[in-house]
Amino acid sequence: SCGANRPQTEDPIFRCPDPVRQQTRRNLLPQLQIDLQDIQTAPDLLRFIMTGLHRWIQTGRDDYKPTRRCFCTLALSQSAIGWAQIWRGRISLEFASHQEKFFRRNHADSTKCTGPLWAKKFIVRLWDFFKILWKNRNDALHPDDPAAAARLHLAALRTRVH
């Protein structure tokens, strides 16, 4: 599966070559996009987020350079933090700033729709996404079915012998 003996990082969750894990990721990314739309994410910010996450998931690199100039500062600031840090809730303050501008341009209720409130919702949606991927990976590595667990254990032993 995804390397049960590796240190626990995000990499096996996002880059596991197992076809089932890959399909799960492909299925969940559109749901994340829907979840971010549900919290009224600015459309251009949503494209930036999805492109940045997709790039990080595919390459593991923190050097995303957006084509739109207005996102250069955001990209640089998140790259300085690290795109992997998003899954820990460590996001650039620029996300909230961009979202705040969107809310103000669209005359959203300033008591309910603010950049900082949106940022909290954004982090929760990211954590929900990560939790599903984590559970999917753990279920594959540590199945409840004793026969499946035995097959995994045997495969791990074979890898050590060869």
Side-chain angles (χ1 to χ4, degrees), residues 25-97:
R25 287 190 301 269
R26 278 193 296 273
N27 292 343
L28 284 176
L29 276 170
Q31 183 58 51
L32 176 62
Q33 184 168 346
I34 291 167
D35 291 346
L36 295 180
Q37 288 168 335
D38 288 347
I39 61 169
Q40 302 174 346
T41 304
D44 56 348
L45 182 58
L46 178 61
R47 280 189 296 280
F48 171 83
I49 291 167
M50 296 309 295
T51 303
L53 291 176
H54 181 75
R55 177 177 165 69
W56 180 81
I57 288 168
Q58 294 299 312
T59 68
R61 296 174 57 186
D62 287 323
D63 60 353
Y64 173 49
K65 292 175 181 60
T67 55
R68 297 203 47 212
R69 233 168 131 204
C70 64
F71 287 107
C72 288
T73 302
L74 173 53
L76 285 172
S77 62
Q78 189 59 50
S79 292
I81 296 167
W83 280 85
Q85 295 301 315
I86 279 181
W87 309 113
R88 293 185 172 99
R90 297 175 185 145
I91 63 170
S92 167
L93 296 174
E94 291 292 319
F95 280 104
S97 176

Side-chain angles (χ1 to χ4, degrees), residues 91-111:
I91 63 170
S92 167
L93 296 174
E94 291 292 319
F95 280 104
S97 176
H98 276 272
Q99 186 64 29
E100 181 72 30
K101 290 174 191 169
F102 170 76
F103 283 144
R104 299 298 66 88
R105 271 191 321 266
N106 290 284
H107 310 289
D109 181 347
S110 62
T111 61

